[in-house]
């Protein structure tokens, strides 16, 4: 995707996400810090701060492949970890329990309309989502949506996918496909 198109598409996704009632009703929003060609989340985070939302970002533990979320109020609370990823610095951020998170933005590479996704292969999100009760949303460019993706028994689908042009109700699609 050309840089201008990437920027414009990320902006449209942000605008569509900020219209989403489940996100707007939530107080605590979990979201990743985007990397490379992922939908840009930095502007989304700034908008969430402006809306007085509590923003929490993931810290991964590579030993047991677990993940916890810490509240950030500034981007300077992040540290560069392996593979050039930005994560919260636990020395200057506060751990937020899973039950306090209202909505989680789940990253991925490719998605289907039932909410299944191919992630980055670590299983961190599927482990976290197995015990998560809030709204699960993914952000994707239209070119990342496919008719189907491989699904394994431990994969946890998202409830909603927001693209630059669509709002894909994955829960509805799973009900329709399962009939």
């Amino acid at each position: 995707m050309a840089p201008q198109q990437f920027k414009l598409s990320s902006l449209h996704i942000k605008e569509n996400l900020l219209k989403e009632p489940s996100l707007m009703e939530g107080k605590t929003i979990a979201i990743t810090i985007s990397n490379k060609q992922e939908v840009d989340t930095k502007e989304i985070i700034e908008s969430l701060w402006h809306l007085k939302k509590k923003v929490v970002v993931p810290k991964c533990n590579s030993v047991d492949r677990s993940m916890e979320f810490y509240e950030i109020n500034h981007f300077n609370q992040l540290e560069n970890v392996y593979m050039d990823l930005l994560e919260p610095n636990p020395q200057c951020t506060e751990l937020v329990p899973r039950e306090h998170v209202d909505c989680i933005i789940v990253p991925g590479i490719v998605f289907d309309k039932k909410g299944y996704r191919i992630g980055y292969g670590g299983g961190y999100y599927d482990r976290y989502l197995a015990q998560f009760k809030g709204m699960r949303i993914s952000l994707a460019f239209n070119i990342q949506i496919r008719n189907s993706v491989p699904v394994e028994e431990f994969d946890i689908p998202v409830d909603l996918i927001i693209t630059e042009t669509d709002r894909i109700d994955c829960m509805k699609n799973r009900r329709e496909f399962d009939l």
Side-chain angles (χ1 to χ4, degrees):
M1 189 181 299
Q4 275 303 95
Q5 185 60 49
F6 172 81
K7 189 172 178 68
L8 185 60
S9 293
S10 286
L11 175 65
H12 288 308
I13 290 169
K14 176 187 97 164
E15 290 169 348
N16 291 338
L17 176 66
L18 295 177
K19 294 176 192 170
E20 183 54 43
S22 57
L23 180 96
M24 298 310 294
E25 292 166 6
K27 291 179 176 54
T28 303
I29 311 301
I31 188 168
T32 60
I33 305 297
S34 56
N35 192 17
K36 297 182 176 100
Q37 287 295 305
E38 295 174 323
V39 172
D40 183 6
T41 60
K42 291 180 180 97
E43 286 191 26
I44 293 170
I45 291 168
E46 289 173 344
S47 294
L48 293 172
W49 285 333
H50 182 73
L51 293 168
K52 307 293 186 223
K53 303 290 182 184
K54 181 184 280 194
V55 174
V56 298
V57 296
K59 177 82 175 162
C60 296
N61 180 338
S62 61
V63 174
D64 64 3
R65 294 189 178 251
S66 66
M67 184 172 65
E68 296 180 310
F69 284 83
Y70 290 79
E71 181 180 5
I72 62 167
N73 301 300
H74 304 285
F75 290 118
N76 63 3
Q77 293 175 301
L78 300 171
E79 59 184 355
N80 195 320
V81 296
Y82 66 97
M83 295 184 359
D84 215 23
L85 296 173
L86 294 174
E87 291 188 348
N89 180 341
Q91 305 295 328
C92 62
T93 56
E94 184 178 332
L95 177 66
V96 175
R98 181 185 338 252
E99 58 273 8
H100 293 174
V101 177
D102 300 305
C103 180
I104 187 169
I105 309 297
V106 182
I109 299 168
V110 178
F111 304 85
D112 71 16
K113 292 185 178 187
K114 292 193 285 183
Y116 290 99
R117 66 189 179 84
I118 295 175
Y120 294 92
Y124 292 91
Y125 272 86
D126 288 314
R127 283 183 199 79
Y128 191 88
L129 293 174
Q131 305 299 319
F132 182 71
K133 304 293 184 221
M135 184 68 165
R136 302 170 304 218
I137 300 175
S138 282
L139 309 177
F141 298 112
N142 289 326
I143 60 173
Q144 293 176 275
I145 306 299
R146 299 287 183 261
N147 289 330
S148 66
V149 298
V151 178
E152 299 188 49
E153 64 183 65
F154 54 81
D155 289 338
I156 308 289
V158 296
D159 304 318
L160 184 66
I161 301 172
I162 304 291
T163 74
E164 58 266 48
T165 60
D166 288 323
R167 178 190 188 274
I168 302 169
D169 184 339
C170 302
M171 292 186 295
K172 178 182 173 213
N173 290 341
R174 285 193 299 275
R175 286 191 302 271
E176 288 176 5
F177 285 114
D178 291 341
L179 292 178

